[in-house]
Amino acid sequence: MSHSFFRCTLLIGLVSLAGCISTPPRADSEDTLAGAGLLRGKLLLPPGSSAPPGARLRLSLLDRFSDGAELTAREYPLDSAPPIDFRLTFDRRRISDVTVYRLDAAVYGPDGRLLFTSDGEHPVNLGVEAEPTRIELMAIDSQSQGLRSYDCEGLPLAAEFVDPDLMIEIGSQQHRLRRAHAASGARYIGANAEFWINGDEARLQLGDHAMQCSALGD
């Protein structure tokens, strides 16, 4: 009897000890936690401006040097007064270089027309959990739409407004540009190009080379 009692007591003790030992987390759950990233910040509309009822906000996280390749995007109803708090999640496991991304923001009306867009490039460092700089949005001129042709010192240039960006093609080069602040007219910038429109005239900057451009008739 004493031996049986001893064996039962020992077995119960071993079972209890096994229950106290914590099981290591699965590798896939660790990867999920390690792969989650979050950007937070605030968006500002131009002074005196407001978004109409039914407006929507679209946020995009893009590679600055891969012609606007998106890492992630989110669109949701804009139901708060400015400044607008935003949150955008992303997957860190898809990132090879944390310094090459930018955050874009655009506000669309209930009819789908672009109303406001972020002013140029807003680089973000995805290697740290920090709020990016507050982003100021600019009002979009309703005339900045569609396709337009220019003559740039004898070279044809095609400019297509693809909300909220501008696509230009000159020779064999194509550039996707983002709206930026300007004292006058509409200015668009990219990694290696700038296009500044004033009425029917424009200035094109490709690297170190600048050209004057004139709009062609429809």
Side-chain angles (χ1 to χ4, degrees), residues 46-111:
S49 299
S50 61
R56 298 186 65 82
L57 171 65
R58 189 176 196 278
L59 300 171
S60 306
L61 195 57
L62 306 102
D63 188 326
R64 299 162 57 204
F65 305 106
S66 295
D67 199 20
E70 278 189 346
L71 174 66
T72 189
R74 181 188 178 194
E75 185 173 328
Y76 50 91
L78 189 57
D79 53 6
S80 62
I84 304 162
D85 293 316
F86 69 84
R87 296 165 62 90
L88 183 64
T89 58
F90 60 93
D91 188 347
R92 293 188 181 279
R93 292 170 296 184
R94 296 179 55 195
I95 298 171
S96 57
D97 186 340
V98 298
T99 65
V100 301
Y101 290 91
R102 76 172 195 253
L103 180 63
D104 289 351
V107 175
Y108 296 87
D111 58 354

Side-chain angles (χ1 to χ4, degrees), residues 1 6 9 34 54 56 59 67 111 125 129 133 171 187 205 214-218:
M1 289 290 293
F6 176 78
T9 304
R56 298 186 65 82
L59 300 171
D67 199 20
D111 58 354
N125 185 348
E129 291 288 350
T133 306
R187 177 170 164 254
Q205 183 85 29
S214 299
L216 301 176
D218 296 334

Side-chain angles (χ1 to χ4, degrees), residues 20 22 28 38 67 77 98 101 120 137 186:
C20 295
S22 59
D28 56 355
L38 175 66
D67 199 20
V98 298
Y101 290 91
L137 304 185

Side-chain angles (χ1 to χ4, degrees), residues 1 6 18 38 68 80 103 113 122 124 134 136 141 152 158 166-167 169 174 179 188 190 196 203 213:
M1 289 290 293
F6 176 78
L38 175 66
S80 62
L103 180 63
R113 185 172 66 87
H122 288 272
V124 289
R134 286 156 61 114
E136 297 182 7
D141 185 348
C152 298
L166 174 68
M167 297 288 296
E169 182 175 353
Q174 291 184 333
R179 188 75 176 262
Y188 298 85
W196 195 335
R203 181 179 184 274
C213 305

Side-chain angles (χ1 to χ4, degrees), residues 142-186:
S142 60
Q143 296 179 351
S144 299
Q145 307 290 330
L147 181 65
R148 200 170 192 190
S149 299
Y150 290 84
D151 177 83
C152 298
E153 300 180 5
L155 294 176
L157 180 144
E160 182 177 6
F161 297 91
V162 183
D163 291 342
D165 298 337
L166 174 68
M167 297 288 296
I168 63 170
E169 182 175 353
I170 181 168
S172 60
Q173 298 185 47
Q174 291 184 333
H175 299 273
R176 191 180 190 104
L177 310 180
R178 186 74 181 180
R179 188 75 176 262
H181 275 303
S184 61

